[in-house]
Amino acid sequence: MATRILQNSFLGGEISPAMFGRVDSPLYQQGGAKIENFIVQAQGSIKTRSGFQYVATAKNSALPVRLIPFRFASDQTLVLVFGDRTMRIVTQGKVLLGSNNQPYEITTQYSANDLFELNYSQNADIITITSPKYPPTELRRYGATDWRFQAVTTAPTIQPPTNITLSAYYPSGTEEDQKGKITVTYVVTAVDSEDRESIASAEKTGTCNYYLDGGYMTISWSGVAGAVRYRVYRSVSGVFGFLGQTESTSIRDMNDQPDTSVTPPRYAEPFQGGGKGAIVSVDVTNGGSGYYYAVQNGKTIMPASITALALKRCCLWSADSQVLGKYILHVLDDTGDKAQISIDAQNYVTQTEGRLKGAVAFAQFDKNSHGERQPILIPLATVANQQLQNPRLRISIYSDRKQGEPPYNEVPDSEGSAESNNYCYWGYGTLLSIPYEPTGNEDYQYCKSFESNSLFNSLHAQSDNGISLNDFYNLFEQPASSAEIPLKVTDPTGTGAILTGIAYNGVITSVRIDSGGSNYTNPSISVDSTIGSGATFTAEIAGAEDWEFPSAVTQFDQRRIFAGSNKSPLKVWMTNAGQQSLMMYHLPVLSDDRIELTAVTSDADKIKHAVSLDSLILFTGSSELRVYTQNSDALAPDSVAVRAQSYVGANDCQPVIANNSVIYAASRGGHIRALRYTYSSGGYETADLSLLAPHLFNGFNIRDITLSKAPEQIIWCVSTSGELLGLTFYADQNINAWHHHVTDGAFESCCAVSEGEEDHLYVVVRRNINGNSVRYIERMSNLRYTNDVNSRQLDCYIDTVINNNSQALSLSDNGMTLTGLSHLEGKTVVAVVDGKPQPETVVTNGQITIPVSGTIIAVGLPFKSTLITMPLTAGQSGNLQGVVKNVTEMALRIAYTGDLFTGKYPDGELWPVKRDDLEFARQNSESKIVRITVDGDWDYNGQVKIEHDNALPLEIQAIIGNVQIEGVKR
């Protein structure tokens, strides 16, 4: 019995042998047992894939390379080629060159073995790159050949105001006892042009009485570079409430009521800890000595504070504590006044036996009858860690008591006798005379000796330029300081560590890790200062469990999102709303504050990816989580919620978005899945897209994924098998058709960018050239073309036009010699000249000779495209399963003109299709039916193999077969 079989679509794609029994499935009737180097088109036909153009050899060809797309606009796309600690750029099939006519290149922190763990997200000209082993980093484009890496910042870059001063105003005639009734405390912040607010300034406390009619307090401060306005807050019951804002550097508080629902912003470093090879702790094995401050590169790094125990030969006495005023420390350098620090002397006066005793400049005078000496801490926070040029300090002593005020009506002569009230004074700048009531001749003599002390006299004669830091330390009997000492890390494998030694009394007691850096193996730590000596250290390197750098990054709801570190696997960090580089918060919390949350799920698998749809989707190694808002449409700290959607999990390969579906690789089994929202479930559901073709995935893993949208929407996947897997994907049409692609080598990375009218696929291919393993960057040529001259069905090819090219060509009598083929040395190649393939030849010394000449030439590696049909079925009982059959004749509806060879599968001989039929198809834009000779045989499957290998395109639209059927074989 004879019957005719028709297959008019291949939208089932390549189908696994495990599906050969599912003849009831419509996709069975539209599939192929093997679709290799053919692309399934959305219309149902299959077409030979285009070839890959050779672009460049990787810089370090022995190590892995990864491609990352960069798209600023549809007409501005690039491919970023990441190698071992380097990055180059490719666009329009060419390597971007720098001003020296060499490939433009910048250095990166990323080791080649870590490249496929990188996660990235682009916002305009900035790509944020994350990895659990490296600190989050921005890659910024400033120009075509000006790309820069910089660390992600989450703290405000604008500094808070300094030198806050308070001045109370009272109406004329106000009684003295009505003044200063209220103690008030203020802080001030600065706001830059991008509406980013600094943290609060140091608190400033004063007294006033703004309840009086016409009374107010004026708050003033020094201007801040980059500030466009300032915000002032006043303390109310321990909370700083918003008082007002101004563009000037002062504001009046006229008993305005602060808004305590708006407080100054706060900041906490979000990523604590380190990454791979990061320095996580440093032990001080010897603290050394003399580290009161640091001098680095000729500049002085100021300490955080100075602890003064007692000034040498310096006393100020008073029987009335109100006479004592304030000590003002001015910090200066060659560029001017850097800071003014006020210290209230009243805080350092003690009461002994009911009588005020021993108020001394900066310290208690240590005499048995006057109590114990008390150290004073001089804070230098406003200049701490600044590098000053020739720093100097100046001390001034000011009194709140005016001369002539009771209980003293005049300033007595300091040369008077002890019985007539003597005076000791010390100061620098403004001098203050304070009455001295001696209690004994010993005290009197000590005070008189101070008056003639040479150190005091020399200081008294100084100008307003102040004294050096060393001289300032010499003023004290036992000088001490809290200093931050920069440390230097030496290790050829590591980068990025910033360490600071904390010194007390000149001895380094601990080390603060500002940045742990990465990739350290044996770090050596030393002090980076010419002051002090003897300190030694040992460092501890982070284990994987200590890495705190986020794995995932994306943009969602006007926030930049980070998620999933080794140390905090389920934690999510979100920047302030509308800010990419700010993670500030308030107490109470505001709706646009930064968000930190820890997802709750069944296990502690790390968040690997974050993807933005209408909700934020988080992928862990075992689940898919949805971050959404409750009781509000806006994402805010008090509205955010997390809910698990499914429990599959993703591998390290970064997902892509196709329309409204997230395409990702499963963490186990290597299958490709799609996550999309469904109204029926009211949430997100995940579907396995690999069920019909598990043979392409089982035993392997997906290494890289990308999406090309035009002219066909195809999800490209690089498998650890070395194959390139393609999925023609149109979710709205229920089209999921797999096809796989091979080459003379192994695919290792892929990315697609739009160039012209098409999206072009770029790949990294590892090839064996002349006995050496090399990695090439290659670009798939156009899928659409007008004729054979423009088609490129060759891999690793170069093409050129005579007299208008960069390749070296020379004519000969017998044809043409083509040079410049050293990247294919020793390989068998094919040249296509003006659309006509030439015989295969081997590249020798970087050149080949072909028998013809022409104008448009391409030379590359040939490849075969293969179709194996499904076991034949028909609309009869049993669908011909278990029935012996013989395909006696086939006809193909084809377009384009590539040569065809057909035969019985698996062991039939392949026969060429008649040349005249193919020539007719070549000359006509419409498709044509061609008859195929089949060396048939009787078996149960009735499969046919169709092969194409002559560097010209071929499209198969339908297969019609004549089949002879026998009874069941016994």
Side-chain angles (χ1 to χ4, degrees):
M1 183 180 76
T3 186
R4 292 180 65 82
I5 304 296
L6 172 66
Q7 181 170 346
N8 56 9
S9 170
F10 296 92
L11 290 179
E14 184 167 329
I15 293 179
S16 167
M19 287 286 295
F20 283 5
R22 292 295 310 276
V23 295
D24 60 315
S25 171
L27 294 177
Y28 182 100
Q29 310 296 331
Q30 302 178 63
K34 185 175 186 179
I35 303 178
E36 181 177 276
N37 288 332
F38 279 103
I39 291 175
V40 179
Q41 302 185 108
Q43 295 75 24
S45 60
I46 59 173
K47 184 178 180 181
T48 51
R49 71 163 170 86
S50 295
F52 285 100
Q53 170 198 355
Y54 170 79
V55 176
T57 303
K59 179 182 179 182
N60 190 338
S61 199
L63 296 175
V65 175
R66 183 176 177 194
L67 307 179
I68 291 179
F70 179 92
R71 182 185 187 276
F72 181 75
S74 58
D75 59 344
Q76 297 183 50
T77 60
L78 306 166
V79 174
L80 309 181
V81 182
F82 281 81
D84 186 48
R85 303 187 186 280
T86 62
M87 189 199 82
R88 291 180 173 180
I89 300 172
V90 168
T91 180
Q92 300 290 334
K94 298 178 181 178
V95 177
L96 182 67
L97 302 181
S99 56
N100 59 355
N101 208 34
Q102 295 298 312
Y104 175 75
E105 178 182 307
I106 60 175
T107 301
T108 79
Q109 61 182 327
Y110 306 112
S111 169
N113 294 327
D114 299 326
L115 293 177
F116 287 89
E117 294 182 10
L118 302 184
N119 210 275
Y120 59 89
S121 177
Q122 185 175 344
N123 179 25
D125 268 349
I126 302 172
I127 290 183
T128 306
I129 302 175
T130 57
S131 166
K133 299 177 183 178
Y134 300 90
T137 304
E138 292 177 350
L139 174 60
R140 293 174 171 254
R141 183 184 73 161
Y142 292 90
T145 55
D146 185 5
W147 296 69
R148 307 172 200 171
F149 283 100
Q150 69 178 47
V152 167
T153 58
T154 56
T157 54
I158 189 168
Q159 298 298 309
T162 57
N163 301 326
I164 313 299
T165 60
L166 306 179
S167 176
Y169 175 80
Y170 303 103
S172 177
T174 301
E175 298 290 337
E176 288 297 323
D177 60 357
Q178 295 300 309
K179 299 179 179 179
K181 289 286 186 179
I182 304 168
T183 299
V184 287
T185 303
Y186 301 90
V187 294
V188 186
T189 64
V191 182
D192 65 16
S193 59
E194 296 183 14
D195 206 34
R196 295 177 296 198
E197 187 175 4
S198 73
I199 60 173
S201 67
E203 297 180 11
K204 186 67 175 180
T205 300
T207 59
C208 67
N209 189 354
Y210 42 55
Y211 292 119
L212 293 174
D213 188 17
Y216 57 84
M217 175 72 87
T218 299
I219 307 99
S220 303
W221 54 88
S222 297
V224 176
V228 296
R229 64 181 184 279
Y230 304 90
R231 294 166 65 91
V232 180
Y233 301 83
R234 189 176 80 203
S235 178
V236 178
S237 301
V239 176
F240 283 97
F242 176 64
L243 185 67
Q245 62 182 344
T246 178
E247 295 181 357
S248 66
T249 55
S250 67
I251 197 172
R252 290 181 179 180
D253 181 6
M254 306 177 70
N255 192 23
D256 299 312
Q257 297 303 310
D259 181 359
T260 55
S261 67
V262 180
T263 60
R266 302 178 178 220
Y267 175 75
E269 176 64 38
F271 312 125
Q272 301 293 335
K276 179 183 178 182
I279 298 175
V280 294
S281 67
V282 178
D283 292 331
V284 181
T285 54
N286 188 335
S289 61
Y291 298 108
Y292 294 110
Y293 57 95
V295 175
Q296 185 184 49
N297 299 323
K299 294 185 178 180
T300 300
I301 301 176
M302 296 298 292
S305 63
I306 296 175
T307 302
L309 195 58
L311 280 168
K312 295 178 179 178
R313 302 285 183 177
C314 179
C315 60
L316 286 173
W317 288 90
S318 173
D320 183 351
S321 65
Q322 296 300 317
V323 173
L324 289 172
K326 295 180 179 179
Y327 302 93
I328 307 298
L329 176 69
H330 292 267
V331 183
L332 312 95
D333 76 352
D334 291 345
T335 63
D337 198 334
K338 310 302 289 189
Q340 178 178 314
I341 301 165
S342 176
I343 304 170
D344 193 343
Q346 182 63 36
N347 296 334
Y348 301 93
V349 176
T350 60
Q351 192 81 16
T352 305
E353 298 177 357
R355 187 161 65 91
L356 204 61
K357 294 289 185 181
V360 181
F362 298 116
Q364 280 294 95
F365 181 61
D366 188 11
K367 300 298 290 181
N368 292 336
S369 59
H370 300 306
E372 294 296 328
R373 182 182 301 167
Q374 293 184 351
I376 179 173
L377 181 69
I378 306 173
L380 298 174
T382 53
V383 291
N385 307 318
Q386 290 189 24
Q387 295 190 356
L388 303 187
Q389 303 176 32
N390 186 25
R392 300 178 299 280
L393 298 103
R394 183 178 71 219
I395 300 174
S396 301
I397 306 174
Y398 296 91
S399 174
D400 293 333
R401 176 68 61 88
K402 296 178 180 179
Q403 293 185 8
E405 289 185 351
Y408 307 102
N409 294 321
E410 59 183 10
V411 179
D413 184 359
S414 63
E415 296 299 323
S417 66
E419 291 76 21
S420 62
N421 289 345
N422 289 274
Y423 294 80
C424 292
Y425 16 81
W426 181 91
Y428 196 79
T430 302
L431 296 181
L432 173 66
S433 297
I434 299 178
Y436 166 55
E437 295 180 357
T439 59
N441 188 58
E442 182 182 351
D443 293 335
Y444 171 72
Q445 293 300 326
Y446 194 91
C447 185
K448 294 295 289 182
S449 68
F450 165 75
E451 291 183 9
S452 60
N453 179 264
S454 59
L455 175 62
F456 169 79
N457 290 333
S458 64
L459 289 175
H460 190 278
Q462 292 285 331
S463 68
D464 285 347
N465 287 331
I467 60 174
S468 71
L469 201 57
N470 282 334
D471 288 339
F472 186 82
Y473 275 95
N474 290 331
L475 287 174
F476 301 104
E477 292 181 358
Q478 296 183 23
S481 68
S482 170
E484 296 192 354
I485 310 298
L487 305 181
K488 179 169 59 178
V489 184
T490 304
D491 188 339
T493 65
T495 56
I498 302 175
L499 308 180
T500 303
I502 307 301
Y504 292 97
N505 301 336
V507 178
I508 297 179
T509 59
S510 63
V511 174
R512 186 182 73 234
I513 300 176
D514 300 303
S515 174
S518 62
N519 295 311
Y520 288 97
T521 54
N522 187 26
S524 173
I525 301 173
S526 58
V527 175
D528 193 8
S529 170
T530 59
I531 300 296
S533 62
T536 57
F537 314 88
T538 58
E540 180 184 353
I541 305 302
E545 67 279 0
D546 297 316
W547 299 345
E548 181 68 332
F549 299 140
S551 301
V553 62
T554 191
Q555 315 285 328
F556 180 70
D557 207 14
Q558 300 299 305
R559 299 175 187 263
R560 182 158 55 171
I561 314 296
F562 299 92
S565 69
N566 286 2
K567 190 175 181 180
S568 304
L570 292 171
K571 193 166 186 179
V572 182
W573 300 267
M574 306 184 189
T575 62
N576 294 77
Q579 299 288 348
Q580 292 286 301
S581 302
L582 205 60
M583 287 190 182
M584 306 286 284
Y585 67 99
H586 301 76
L587 294 177
V589 174
L590 301 180
S591 60
D592 62 349
D593 277 354
R594 66 101 169 98
I595 299 174
E596 288 190 4
L597 64 92
T598 299
V600 177
T601 184
S602 59
D603 52 38
D605 267 340
K606 182 177 62 181
I607 296 172
K608 297 182 176 182
H609 311 290
V611 179
S612 298
L613 293 176
D614 69 320
S615 296
L616 175 64
I617 308 298
L618 306 175
F619 292 86
T620 76
S622 60
S623 60
E624 291 74 31
L625 309 175
R626 176 190 179 192
V627 180
Y628 64 100
T629 58
Q630 53 185 358
N631 307 320
S632 172
D633 291 333
L635 185 66
D638 59 353
S639 69
V640 66
V642 181
R643 183 175 297 164
Q645 302 296 291
S646 57
Y647 293 92
V648 176
N651 73 356
D652 291 335
C653 183
Q654 183 162 342
V656 296
I657 299 176
N659 296 343
N660 60 351
S661 299
V662 183
I663 311 300
Y664 67 102
S667 61
R668 295 173 300 281
H671 285 206
I672 296 295
R673 303 185 69 91
L675 183 80
R676 62 172 69 95
Y677 184 86
T678 63
Y679 289 98
S680 59
S681 64
Y684 286 81
E685 293 183 347
T686 180
D688 191 338
L689 301 179
S690 309
L691 284 179
L692 297 184
H695 63 294
L696 297 177
F697 302 89
N698 293 343
F700 306 107
N701 207 345
I702 297 302
R703 183 180 177 89
D704 211 353
I705 302 177
T706 193
L707 171 71
S708 62
K709 301 178 182 179
E712 301 288 343
Q713 181 164 281
I714 301 175
I715 297 164
W716 297 101
C717 309
V718 170
S719 171
T720 53
S721 67
E723 294 185 346
L724 179 67
L725 309 180
L727 174 65
T728 304
F729 180 75
Y730 292 86
D732 56 332
Q733 301 295 322
N734 292 319
I735 296 176
N736 304 309
W738 284 104
H739 34 96
H740 78 275
H741 307 270
V742 297
T743 187
D744 181 18
F747 293 98
E748 291 191 338
S749 181
C750 65
C751 83
V753 294
S754 61
E755 293 177 346
E757 296 298 319
E758 293 192 10
D759 288 353
H760 283 269
L761 177 68
Y762 284 81
V763 294
V764 174
V765 185
R766 187 180 73 251
R767 302 187 184 277
N768 189 295
I769 303 296
N770 205 24
N772 299 313
S773 179
V774 296
R775 286 176 169 88
Y776 291 159
I777 294 91
E778 302 180 26
R779 172 187 185 255
M780 183 178 280
S781 61
N782 288 349
L783 294 178
R784 290 178 178 169
Y785 32 78
T786 57
N787 52 55
D788 291 346
V789 172
N790 298 317
S791 70
R792 296 291 183 268
Q793 308 290 307
L794 298 166
D795 283 347
C796 203
Y797 75 85
I798 59 172
D799 61 355
T800 187
V801 177
I802 290 180
N803 300 325
N804 184 25
N805 65 89
S806 60
Q807 302 296 328
L809 300 176
S810 60
L811 296 174
S812 67
D813 294 337
N814 298 322
M816 179 177 290
T817 298
L818 296 92
T819 63
L821 296 169
S822 58
H823 69 290
L824 292 175
E825 182 68 28
K827 287 294 185 181
T828 299
V829 298
V830 167
V832 178
V833 180
D834 295 336
K836 295 180 175 60
Q838 303 303 309
E840 293 183 349
T841 185
V842 176
V843 177
T844 304
N845 296 325
Q847 67 183 29
I848 63 172
T849 299
I850 56 178
V852 298
S853 61
T855 57
I856 301 177
I857 305 168
V859 180
L861 300 172
F863 61 86
K864 292 181 179 181
S865 299
T866 303
L867 169 67
I868 299 176
T869 63
M870 296 291 288
L872 287 177
T873 64
Q876 301 179 8
S877 175
N879 290 300
L880 298 185
Q881 291 203 81
V883 176
V884 179
K885 41 199 170 285
N886 181 16
V887 180
T888 59
E889 184 183 30
M890 292 192 73
L892 299 182
R893 177 171 288 279
I894 66 170
Y896 303 100
T897 60
D899 282 352
L900 280 176
F901 297 85
T902 64
K904 186 82 169 54
Y905 179 79
D907 51 10
E909 183 178 354
L910 296 181
W911 294 86
V913 176
K914 292 181 181 180
R915 172 60 58 180
D916 56 346
D917 288 335
L918 294 177
E919 289 294 339
F920 179 88
R922 178 178 287 118
Q923 298 168 12
N924 292 271
S925 59
E926 298 179 357
S927 62
K928 173 181 173 57
I929 295 289
V930 296
R931 291 187 177 277
I932 297 175
T933 300
V934 178
D935 185 13
D937 194 9
W938 294 93
D939 67 2
Y940 287 104
N941 287 332
Q943 291 176 277
V944 174
K945 181 178 182 180
I946 301 172
E947 197 171 88
H948 156 81
D949 67 353
N950 78 330
L952 292 178
L954 171 71
E955 181 179 297
I956 302 176
Q957 299 169 346
I959 300 176
I960 306 97
N962 289 329
V963 183
Q964 295 289 331
I965 302 173
E966 252 186 13
V968 178
K969 193 171 184 179
R970 300 190 185 275

